[in-house]
Amino acid sequence: MTRLRDRFDARRAEGKSALVIYITEGDPSPAATADIVRAAADAGADAVELGVPFSDPSADGPVIQAAMQRALGNGGSLKSALATARAVRAAGCEVPLVLFGYYNPIFVYGTGRLAADARDAGIDALLTVDVPLGELGELAAPSARAGLGVVPLVAPTSGDDRVAQAAALDPPFVYYISMTGITGAAFSGSAGGAERVAKVREAVRAPVAVGFGIKTGDDARAVAAYADGVVVGSAVVSRIQAAGAQGAPAAVGEFVADLRRALDAPPRS
Amino acid sequence: MTMTTENAKPGQSPSTSSPGSGSISSGRFGDFGGQYVAETLMPAAEELAAAYAEAAGDPAFWAELSQRLQSYVGRPTPLSFAPTLSDELGARIYLKREDLLHTGAHKINNCLGQALLAARMGKTRIIAETGAGQHGVATATVAALLSMPCVVYMGAEDARRQALNVFRMKLLGAEVRTVAAGSQTLKDAMNEAIRDWVTNVAGTHYLLGSVAGPHPYPTMVRDFQSVIGREAREQIREAENRAPDALVACVGGGSNAAGLFSPFIGDSGVRLVGVEAAGEGLDSRHAATLSRGRPGVLHGSKSYVLCDDDGQVAEAHSISAGLDYPGVGPEHAHWRDTGRVRYVSRTDDEALAALQQLARAEGIVCALETAHAVAALPEVAGEVGPDGLVIVSISGRGDKDMETVSKALEVAS
């Protein structure tokens, strides 16, 4: 958890935004996933969200749905995600890892047991799409006991009371959903986003990362102007699919480097 | 974040026009229920819970619903004594005739209630998921009635099995979007409806068809369907001057069972039996979530779920599209764990046999979903004996299933 927060703080101290990359565990294969994580880290990702494949990903668009289907076919699972985290750490890679997914696999595994096993595997935080703030207590409590962070989601529709609930969790960062929609939808630009994120940043002491629909260096750069972090998911997953198992780590590394350059470029005048 | 309000007790309305006591819960049924949806949807779920709590306390809302159920839908439905079946099975069997409703199944009780609520909330668009197509048809019907645009999501496999209902929905002016993801059945249609809702959350009402989903759906849908049980309660008293000994209903998501059972939950002398789909058998492909599932979280609530050790949701199987669902409403999970309701299961073949038995004995061709409940009657009749009173929910008529049934019987003969 400290690892995650430290990275955001370090970027913030440089006056830069953190880059968070989403990938689906098991796509293109459980064995390749650790290599993709390391390639992303080497290319400048500040954190990696390791998406646990789920049979019914109701918050995801077609790109991540398809990746999850492929991953399940390849033996991807919550257990294999933990194995990937262990492999990443065994290889000496210290990139902060967020275990990302839907609640049922975690619930069936057991929240207490998962929190402990995730921590032991080198995971820094949990993020569950279908456990909103009002229900997050049942996951936050065992996570806190294990020393694991929980990342709350805040949406454009979330009122001030819900933002306050997110702040009360003292999270490593808050994930702000850029739009009302599913992952991979068309990026809607800043339409009120900057203002809303500024309000959320004011209300929570934690850094705020923005995700959903961010596909290019330009998108990332536009969001970085007002957010502590930028999350890119579907665009990464598309590149993994296009590159196939052999080429995926290199393709992800190249894309992450592009995003990093866009974020680090001096401000345009 | 849960809603609590006073129980709805409309003063002047007849007892069958509103759910009466215990209508609004906290959204929790013991360990089950809750609101497990994307954060984006939470304000919509809370808005709906607040709007329903407000409407449920307004006698005028129930009066309008009651009036429309009577003049448009065809309520009250008869409670028909089944003389031949009673002789054959050795108990006094009564049939609660939801098959006689407009659109042919109990689904419209809930659709009309939710559509009136959506209109009251100022929503301008309705979306729904459907399995067998009965809920989709009922939703398309009320959307037409209230002049609201309507999109129905249906698994591609279900759309093939229920082509006639797809046509009916289109005829009613609804747009039918088939879903090719996953098992191409009800659960995938629900995933897609949730994706639509999250994208168009401001003006769209998601008209969920069962006692599943996040709070307030399980409570609200149960309340709208409880008209089945409230009528049955009065009718059996009129016919037999006493309470029934047993109630039987099929359970997929569980809405007709919840509607029949809920007014009797406090009557400990009434035995309640829910019948799930055992498909090809409980050790093969089936949809018997309460019999063989485990606690889990799917489509917005904590309940029983058919899933593997990794938490991946199984592809359920039943000859009946309406029962072909790997989840179940959270209140049923609670009734299961507390023992208030006994859940049994019947196979595809047993349902087919029961469908024929009811047709020949009573001249009623019921839906394949309903046939599962009918298939459990011999067991229940044996328990209550010749003087025992049993009410079975005839939740829908069988027209939509004739192709499936004729194919299945050809194979068998």
Side-chain angles (χ1 to χ4, degrees):
Chain A
M1 171 153 175
T2 357
R3 189 158 39 196
L4 194 49
R5 186 60 174 272
D6 288 351
R7 191 65 75 97
F8 270 92
D9 288 346
R11 286 295 182 195
R12 196 183 236 176
E14 296 172 33
K16 288 175 183 169
S17 273
L19 175 60
V20 181
I21 296 298
Y22 168 92
I23 60 173
T24 301
E25 159 64 22
D27 175 43
S29 72
T33 309
D35 292 340
I36 296 173
V37 172
R38 290 167 56 206
D42 290 346
D46 293 301
V48 174
E49 291 178 358
L50 195 53
V52 176
F54 182 52
S55 51
D56 293 79
S58 57
D60 282 297
V63 170
I64 292 179
Q65 284 177 49
M68 287 190 165
Q69 279 300 318
R70 290 194 298 272
L72 289 172
N74 296 335
S77 67
L78 179 53
K79 281 181 189 150
S80 78
L82 296 177
T84 292
R86 286 192 296 268
V88 168
R89 297 301 180 226
C93 176
E94 289 298 310
V95 69
L97 289 173
V98 178
L99 193 71
F100 177 104
Y102 291 79
Y103 192 28
N104 198 52
I106 291 171
F107 181 79
V108 167
Y109 193 96
T111 50
R113 182 177 154 226
L114 186 268
D117 288 358
R119 175 204 54 208
D120 294 346
I123 301 277
D124 298 281
L126 302 181
L127 193 167
T128 40
V129 203
D130 53 351
V131 185
L133 289 159
E135 308 283 7
L136 206 45
E138 65 187 75
L139 200 55
S143 298
R145 280 195 295 275
L148 208 62
V150 165
V151 177
L153 291 152
V154 171
T157 49
S158 307
D160 293 346
D161 57 324
R162 303 190 68 84
V163 176
Q165 279 182 276
L169 291 167
D170 189 25
F173 72 95
V174 170
Y175 188 130
Y176 181 78
I177 301 167
S178 72
M179 62 176 109
T180 60
I182 51 178
T183 59
F187 183 55
S188 53
S190 60
E195 214 170 286
R196 188 79 189 110
V197 171
K199 283 192 73 174
V200 174
R201 282 179 77 186
E202 219 175 274
V204 300
R205 292 178 305 278
V208 176
V210 175
F212 274 47
I214 300 167
K215 294 190 185 65
T216 66
D218 283 349
D219 294 346
R221 196 177 158 79
V223 170
Y226 56 83
D228 302 298
V230 176
V231 188
V232 183
S234 296
V236 177
V237 171
S238 295
R239 279 166 176 79
I240 290 172
Q241 188 195 0
Q246 292 297 317
V252 169
E254 203 174 301
F255 182 48
V256 170
D258 285 349
L259 293 169
R260 187 77 257 169
R261 269 192 296 276
L263 289 177
D264 292 349
R268 290 174 196 137
S269 48
Chain B
M1 282 271 154
T2 50
M3 302 297 309
T4 48
T5 69
E6 297 298 307
N7 295 334
K9 283 190 180 112
Q12 303 303 314
S13 313
S15 64
T16 48
S17 67
S18 78
S21 62
S23 76
I24 314 285
S25 77
S26 61
R28 286 276 170 187
F29 309 95
D31 292 336
F32 303 105
Q35 292 179 305
Y36 297 89
V37 292
E39 176 63 21
T40 311
L41 287 177
M42 280 308 300
E46 288 184 346
E47 178 196 10
L48 183 61
Y52 176 61
E54 186 269 327
D58 179 2
F61 176 76
W62 295 108
E64 184 182 1
L65 177 58
S66 184
Q67 190 276 326
R68 288 197 190 240
L69 284 173
Q70 188 187 334
S71 65
Y72 182 74
V73 175
R75 299 214 73 92
T77 58
L79 183 72
S80 313
F81 179 64
T84 309
L85 201 61
S86 294
D87 278 352
E88 287 174 5
L89 300 181
R92 295 182 62 76
I93 312 278
Y94 280 85
L95 315 174
K96 183 56 178 161
R97 300 292 306 280
E98 298 300 294
D99 60 311
L100 293 177
L101 290 177
H102 181 41
T103 71
H106 73 289
K107 291 291 185 186
I108 197 161
N109 299 325
N110 166 51
C111 290
L112 189 59
Q114 282 197 46
L116 290 178
L117 183 63
R120 189 182 171 106
M121 291 169 74
K123 300 289 178 184
T124 54
R125 175 175 178 264
I126 285 182
I127 60 170
E129 83 296 334
T130 195
Q134 289 306 104
H135 174 59
V137 166
T139 303
T141 298
V142 298
L145 177 69
L146 301 179
S147 307
M148 290 169 109
C150 174
V151 173
V152 179
Y153 291 93
M154 189 171 191
E157 167 68 19
D158 286 342
R160 271 191 295 276
R161 286 194 281 192
Q162 304 288 346
L164 195 61
N165 272 342
V166 174
F167 180 70
R168 285 169 82 194
M169 286 184 267
K170 289 180 177 167
L171 204 60
L172 290 159
E175 182 190 340
V176 179
R177 296 187 186 162
T178 53
V179 180
S183 56
Q184 311 191 355
T185 58
L186 181 55
K187 82 180 174 80
D188 310 286
M190 271 186 96
N191 291 333
E192 207 55 38
I194 291 170
R195 290 180 190 117
D196 182 316
W197 194 25
V198 85
T199 305
N200 304 296
V201 61
T204 294
H205 176 68
Y206 177 18
L207 208 164
L208 208 154
S210 195
V211 286
H215 177 64
Y217 287 105
T219 300
M220 178 172 69
V221 177
R222 176 202 68 202
D223 289 352
F224 287 143
Q225 291 296 0
S226 69
V227 67
I228 303 171
R230 283 180 281 122
E231 284 179 6
R233 204 183 160 85
E234 285 194 357
Q235 289 166 323
I236 193 75
R237 196 158 283 283
E238 234 162 74
E240 297 275 354
N241 200 27
R242 69 175 185 92
D245 296 298
L247 307 179
V248 183
C250 64
V251 177
S255 71
N256 94 90
L260 179 63
F261 295 168
S262 60
F264 293 89
I265 284 292
D267 304 327
S268 55
V270 181
R271 119 197 359 237
L272 306 176
V273 180
V275 187
E276 298 192 297
E280 295 167 356
L282 290 181
D283 295 322
S284 181
R285 302 189 306 154
H286 62 83
T289 307
L290 290 163
S291 307
R292 287 298 177 96
R294 62 169 100 198
V297 178
L298 178 67
H299 294 147
S301 58
K302 196 178 282 177
S303 185
Y304 275 72
V305 178
L306 288 177
C307 66
D308 66 16
D309 292 342
D310 186 42
Q312 306 300 338
V313 180
E315 294 187 0
H317 167 77
S318 169
I319 190 170
S320 139
L323 303 183
D324 198 348
Y325 180 59
V328 66
E331 194 164 23
H332 285 291
H334 179 58
W335 287 338
R336 174 203 187 275
D337 280 12
T338 56
R340 180 62 190 97
V341 180
R342 183 169 101 235
Y343 295 91
V344 300
S345 63
R346 290 296 181 269
T347 64
D348 292 350
D349 290 344
E350 289 166 329
L352 280 165
L355 187 145
Q356 295 171 84
Q357 183 181 15
L358 182 68
R360 287 174 191 162
E362 304 296 338
I364 295 169
V365 177
C366 70
L368 275 169
E369 291 78 12
T370 308
H372 288 74
V374 175
L377 286 176
E379 178 182 328
V380 177
E383 290 164 3
V384 300
D387 295 327
L389 295 181
V390 180
I391 299 176
V392 58
S393 171
I394 305 299
S395 55
R397 68 173 185 231
D399 306 44
K400 69 182 173 59
D401 293 319
M402 288 305 94
E403 202 184 324
T404 307
V405 172
S406 67
K407 275 187 191 151
L409 295 181
E410 265 168 40
V411 172
S413 65

